Amino acid sequence: AAALAAEPPTFDVERGVVEAPFTLTLGAEAGHTIWVSRDGGAPDVAYTGPMDVDQSTIVRALSQSADGAVSETATYTYLLLDDVMAQPVLDTRFTQDPVLGPRMADSLLALPTISLVLDGSLSQTEQPVSFEYTEPGGLSLQEDCGVARVGGHSVINYPKTNLRLYFRAAYGAGRLHADFFEDTDPTGAPPLDEHDSLDLRGGAHDSVFYL
């Protein structure tokens, strides 16, 4: 098997929700070729220079040395704010309201963003996924892991179910090192900053659809 290169390509624009189209530039070690994709699939097109990103896009990239050694794949999801606001599942009475629309847009820019990129659909069977997490002006990370839909009644009858992420050596680093929680805890216990699994709570019981 080919050895991993020292570093995957660099991206000059951070992942997450962005307010306007932009030009993305990738970088790599001297003498390395960068391979990219813009559809969430494996990088398979040679990078030739800066790319215009004018719609919500998943960019994946790896670098390859002259002797064939390749890096890990870097995944960056860019969500254009106008695209998010124009989703047909959103209520236009809010998104197009002159007062509530701008407030909603501001809220999207202030909230953390999570992106899951996988080949296929989410199911109760664990499968490989790229997990991205971005806090505006703060923490930004990406890790390859496993994902599966979990829960009871809601898995079958509710469209937005809980998801569990599994950080295993078979996918990547084996553990996720990230400080998601406050530095202090009411019980006095120190907050966890490394994880072998995480639950993404769908909020089934808190939804209007539950009734």
Side-chain angles (χ1 to χ4, degrees):
L4 291 178
E7 296 290 341
T10 59
F11 290 61
D12 71 342
V13 177
E14 193 51 80
R15 58 173 62 85
V17 179
V18 293
E19 295 187 67
F22 62 92
T23 299
L24 175 66
T25 301
L26 306 184
E29 298 177 69
H32 283 63
T33 300
I34 300 176
W35 297 89
V36 299
S37 69
R38 301 184 61 166
D39 59 2
D44 57 1
V45 176
Y47 172 76
T48 57
M51 304 180 297
D52 291 331
V53 178
D54 56 8
Q55 61 183 353
S56 295
T57 305
I58 300 167
V59 181
R60 311 192 79 187
L62 59 81
S63 62
Q64 182 177 23
S65 66
D67 62 5
V70 297
S71 74
E72 296 178 345
T73 298
T75 304
Y76 278 65
T77 298
Y78 299 105
L79 302 173
L80 261 70
L81 183 60
D82 287 347
D83 289 352
V84 176
M85 295 287 290
Q87 291 179 99
V89 297
L90 298 182
D91 192 331
T92 55
R93 291 174 298 176
F94 295 95
T95 59
Q96 296 180 13
D97 185 271
V99 175
L100 299 178
R103 289 183 179 178
M104 183 175 179
D106 290 343
S107 297
L108 290 170
L109 291 170
L111 290 170
T113 301
I114 290 176
S115 174
L116 302 178
V117 180
L118 68 159
D119 183 13
S121 301
L122 293 165
S123 71
Q124 291 176 265
T125 300
E126 184 180 337
Q127 56 191 307
V129 68
S130 166
F131 164 67
E132 295 172 75
Y133 178 89
T134 309
E135 295 175 353
L139 179 65
S140 176
L141 59 86
Q142 184 266 328
E143 185 64 58
D144 292 333
C145 58
V147 66
R149 297 173 65 192
V150 295
H153 175 78
S154 65
V155 171
I156 300 173
N157 295 291
Y158 183 66
K160 188 176 183 181
T161 55
N162 302 323
L163 302 176
R164 182 165 296 154
L165 303 176
Y166 302 91
F167 299 96
R168 310 186 194 276
Y171 302 114
R175 276 182 175 268
L176 177 69
H177 296 273
D179 186 3
F180 294 116
F181 308 108
E182 297 291 337
D183 292 336
T184 59
D185 185 278
T187 66
L192 294 175
D193 58 8
E194 64 175 53
H195 317 273
D196 53 20
S197 67
L198 286 175
D199 281 0
L200 306 181
R201 183 174 179 272
H205 288 186
D206 302 328
S207 168
V208 294
F209 298 112
Y210 182 69
L211 303 176

